[in-house]
Amino acid sequence: MCSKISEHSQQITYEGLLKGNKEWVAATLAEDPTFFDRLSAGQKPPVLWIGCSDSRVPANQITNTTPGDIFVHRNIANVVVHTDMNMLSVLDYAVNVLEVEHVIVCGHYGCGGVEAAIGNKQFGIIDNWLRNIKDIYRLHYHELDLISDHKQRCARLVELNVIEGVFNLTKTSIVQNRWANGKKLGVHGWAYSLETGLITDLKVTTESNDHISSVFKMDNLKPL
Ligand code: CO
């Protein structure tokens, strides 16, 4: 299976991408002649996806959805931190303009970013990004240090990174204002398996600030 994937990757060329685009347009129009007319009119995706940049975890394919269905933000190891203006801008636009009803943080087992964060090797500028995941390790070291199997420990940190991402989203004024204004918004955490293709719901769905630590609750909420 691995050799098949690498053979396939070797066939990907710059020209091949443009050729592939033409083939995709032709196939799409053959199946649905109004596809581009419809999509070019606007977007109203019900879901914001915050996932890893990993080439093997594309939001649409793994959820059997199509262009127009999911608004997507991806970064290395699907990190959600308070000061990321890129993520906050995407979140604000998705929640307040597109009015998505679901925000999904989707990590994946075997995440290279999480594996790098659990180790001690220097990689360069990315170390600063991955340090956010080391902070999560520090929060949960009592649990993680007890897992002797390296793969299992990485897998659990993948899950904890997603869960912390969900919590961090719920702490934002963007999400809390939405809830305070009576709008439906669920924040969810998922983990995808590269080995099976299946998604695990980590069951941390949050739909109100009822269970958020009091220090993070905001009470001077802004009307929409
Ligand atoms: Co990853």
Side-chain angles (χ1 to χ4, degrees), residues 36-56:
F36 295 105
D37 295 335
R38 210 173 55 249
L39 278 189
S40 61
Q43 64 167 337
K44 189 66 179 161
V47 176
L48 165 62
W49 177 278
I50 299 177
C52 183
S53 298
D54 193 302
S55 61
R56 300 164 295 179

Side-chain angles (χ1 to χ4, degrees), residues 17-137:
L17 295 175
L18 294 168
K19 183 168 171 278
N21 169 253
K22 288 192 176 71
E23 290 165 358
W24 173 72
V25 169
T28 302
L29 286 174
E31 197 173 301
D32 179 0
T34 65
F35 183 84
F36 295 105
D37 295 335
R38 210 173 55 249
L39 278 189
S40 61
Q43 64 167 337
K44 189 66 179 161
V47 176
L48 165 62
W49 177 278
I50 299 177
C52 183
S53 298
D54 193 302
S55 61
R56 300 164 295 179
V57 196
N60 280 134
Q61 280 96 331
I62 69 171
T63 56
N64 203 21
T65 52
T66 59
D69 292 340
I70 302 182
F71 199 64
V72 174
H73 173 80
R74 292 168 73 176
N75 64 47
I76 290 176
N78 45 274
V79 168
V80 177
V81 284
H82 307 308
T83 52
D84 180 357
M85 285 305 296
N86 185 348
M87 181 280 291
L88 291 170
S89 302
V90 169
L91 178 67
D92 187 34
Y93 187 77
V95 168
N96 291 316
V97 179
L98 296 175
E99 302 189 301
V100 299
E101 293 195 344
H102 302 278
V103 180
I104 298 164
V105 181
C106 185
H108 67 102
Y109 300 113
C111 182
V114 171
E115 285 175 10
I118 220 165
N120 300 101
K121 203 175 160 192
Q122 280 192 46
F123 292 93
I125 198 166
I126 195 177
D127 299 333
N128 300 287
W129 184 247
L130 297 179
R131 198 164 300 122
N132 291 297
I133 303 176
K134 288 183 185 284
D135 287 341
I136 294 169
Y137 194 109

